[in-house]
Amino acid sequence: MRFLRRSLTGVFLLAVTLAVLVWAGSLINGAVQAKLGQEPRSFPQRERVLAVNVATLTPQVITPEMTAFGELLSRRRLDLRSATGGTVQEVSDALIEGGTVTQGQLLLRIDPTDAQAALSRVRADLQDADAELRDAQRALILAQDELTAAEAQSTLRDQALTRAQDLATRGVGTAAAVETAEFTASSAQAAVLTRRQALASAQARIDQATTALARQQINLSEAERDLADTEIYAPFDGQLSNVTVSLGGRVTANELFAQLVDPTQLEVSFRVSTSQYTRLLDARGQLVSAPLQVALDVAGLDLTAAGQITRESAAVASGQTGRLLFADLDSAVGFRAGDFVTVRIDEPALENVALVPATAVAADETVLLIGDDNRLSVGQVDLLRRQGDDVIVAPGAYAGQVIVAERSPLLGAGIKVDPIAPAGAAPVAAAAPEMVKLDPERRARLVTFVTEGRMPDEVKARILGQLEQEEIPAETVARLESRMGS
């Protein structure tokens, strides 16, 4: 009996289980057939609106700033060299690396013994030449006196010859007397010629003595200069660098022992490209004296100095490009020659241009304009300059319009956006929302959905207040219908 009762119970449970499975299958089949028989539901699609940062193409006068890098140089820089060689006998205390000297200060003295001995020898030779000149002058005076005496004696011999000839004519004198007188007169004339030659020799001796004296005077000047060159003085105020000499050391002629630099007379040399160079030319093609600033970042502290462009290099060096420019600095406190600095040059001002972020302009020099309905359109501008993270453009016909400040691949013509004005700027006027009129059935369906929906009371009150109006924002209607799925 127990076995039979248990068997019947198992059969009953199996039958119930089968019945339940059949009933569940029937329900699933009915649901599937009902689902397949329904029309597909359609949900209203909302337009995607992207939030973008905006900027305004405001025409203004902008002075572009050109950036370059250069090196500071000193306009007064001198290599100090020893004119003569020898042992360093005296050295100034300021003749050290970085020492400050003043104009006319003695830097070093080389042992002057050899130069003083040479000067003494030249002075002795000069005395000999002077004595020779005086002796030649005295010999010239004697030669002139001897010539005068010979000429007087020749005159007397000529007179004697004339008397002898007169006596012979009257028959008183003899021919032998006349011949003797003629011989004597000829000898006197020969003596005059000899004295003239002696006078010429005396004059030539004077010329030679004068020339010798001049040579000795030149030698004296050279010896005095050589002696003076043993002492080296500072030609101008400045600081010393690359000092290689010390007391007791030995230097050779023309040896470089230090450099003198004037730290107050600084200029900057910098190289710009050819296109940048053309921006610094006036209408006549001459380089303008554009103002500039140089900056040196020293441990977070910027040293700055103002200056002005003065000149350009005459030629382009081999292997170089662009142009090398030079500018004088007005005041360069803290700077030193050799500093590598940043140079910012003020270019000629540009009128009717706008300054916008570089991310607002595409590679083809186009911008995205924001229309009245916050939809984008493409506009063409002229890119004039790049200023760091910004660019200077000529807006043309788009002056005063609002553009997208940061472009992205998601943005393009026809897309609707939500403008976000930059901090501190006037907000961009939003377009008026699109309004629609609802038929009573549609309005009642929306009111029922809002009333039965799980929303905060204040949100329900605000939406119901909008639904009671004659015209309702289309965005509100689309949002509600997308939620209720009708």
Side-chain angles (χ1 to χ4, degrees), residues 46 462-463 474-484:
R46 288 190 302 165
R462 178 172 58 82
I463 296 178
E475 183 180 0
T476 302
V477 175
R479 185 170 64 252
L480 293 175
E481 289 181 346
S482 64
R483 291 181 179 178
M484 61 188 298

Side-chain angles (χ1 to χ4, degrees), residues 232-278:
I232 300 177
Y233 297 88
F236 54 84
D237 297 347
Q239 288 184 309
L240 296 171
S241 65
N242 299 330
V243 179
T244 59
V245 70
S246 60
L247 182 64
R250 187 169 182 83
V251 295
T252 59
N254 202 37
E255 179 181 347
L256 175 65
F257 65 87
Q259 285 183 335
L260 181 60
V261 179
D262 188 349
T264 63
Q265 301 291 327
L266 293 181
E267 64 179 5
V268 59
S269 65
F270 57 95
R271 187 173 296 275
V272 296
S273 64
T274 305
S275 60
Q276 292 175 325
Y277 170 75
T278 56

Side-chain angles (χ1 to χ4, degrees), residues 325-359:
L325 306 182
F326 298 88
D328 290 343
L329 301 183
D330 299 334
S331 177
V333 179
F335 290 93
R336 287 295 181 268
D339 284 340
F340 187 75
V341 296
T342 302
V343 184
R344 296 182 177 89
I345 309 104
D346 292 336
E347 300 182 27
L350 299 177
E351 298 181 355
N352 297 324
V353 295
L355 182 67
V356 297
T359 53

Side-chain angles (χ1 to χ4, degrees), residues 320-386:
Q320 299 289 342
T321 59
R323 299 292 183 269
L324 184 63
L325 306 182
F326 298 88
D328 290 343
L329 301 183
D330 299 334
S331 177
V333 179
F335 290 93
R336 287 295 181 268
D339 284 340
F340 187 75
V341 296
T342 302
V343 184
R344 296 182 177 89
I345 309 104
D346 292 336
E347 300 182 27
L350 299 177
E351 298 181 355
N352 297 324
V353 295
L355 182 67
V356 297
T359 53
V361 183
D364 57 354
E365 300 184 6
T366 58
V367 295
L368 294 178
L369 305 171
I370 300 178
D372 295 336
D373 57 347
N374 289 345
R375 294 193 180 275
L376 300 180
S377 61
V378 179
Q380 186 74 37
V381 296
D382 293 332
L383 179 61
L384 302 179
R385 301 284 192 279
R386 293 190 178 275

Side-chain angles (χ1 to χ4, degrees), residues 361-479:
V361 183
D364 57 354
E365 300 184 6
T366 58
V367 295
L368 294 178
L369 305 171
I370 300 178
D372 295 336
D373 57 347
N374 289 345
R375 294 193 180 275
L376 300 180
S377 61
V378 179
Q380 186 74 37
V381 296
D382 293 332
L383 179 61
L384 302 179
R385 301 284 192 279
R386 293 190 178 275
Q387 302 287 289
D389 295 335
D390 299 327
V391 293
I392 299 177
V393 298
Y398 305 116
Q401 295 195 23
V402 180
I403 65 172
V404 176
E406 298 177 3
R407 300 185 60 154
S408 73
L410 300 177
L411 301 177
I415 295 179
K416 190 173 184 179
V417 296
D418 181 14
I420 300 177
V428 180
E434 182 181 358
M435 308 298 288
V436 295
K437 291 184 179 180
L438 300 178
D439 55 83
E441 182 181 355
R442 188 178 181 186
R443 187 189 302 271
R445 188 165 61 251
L446 292 176
V447 170
T448 302
F449 174 75
V450 173
T451 304
E452 296 177 355
R454 292 180 296 179
M455 301 181 186
D457 295 339
E458 59 272 12
V459 176
K460 285 185 179 181
R462 178 172 58 82
I463 296 178
L464 291 175
Q466 292 180 352
L467 293 176
E468 292 175 357
Q469 303 295 327
E470 183 178 357
E471 292 185 350
I472 304 173
E475 183 180 0
T476 302
V477 175
R479 185 170 64 252

Side-chain angles (χ1 to χ4, degrees), residues 73-127:
L73 305 173
S74 177
R75 293 197 300 270
R76 291 206 298 179
R77 187 185 188 97
L78 178 64
D79 290 342
L80 298 178
R81 298 178 181 272
S82 58
T84 61
T87 304
V88 179
Q89 191 178 58
E90 181 180 349
V91 175
S92 172
D93 294 337
L95 188 59
I96 55 177
E97 186 70 25
T100 301
V101 297
T102 58
Q103 183 178 2
Q105 181 178 350
L106 177 64
L107 299 180
L108 64 83
R109 178 181 289 111
I110 300 173
D111 188 4
T113 303
D114 295 339
Q116 288 177 347
L119 178 60
S120 300
R121 287 193 296 269
V122 171
R123 285 175 177 172
D125 294 339
L126 180 62
Q127 291 177 357

Side-chain angles (χ1 to χ4, degrees), residues 192-202:
V192 170
L193 181 59
T194 301
R195 297 308 176 190
R196 285 180 178 175
Q197 291 177 349
L199 179 60
S201 298

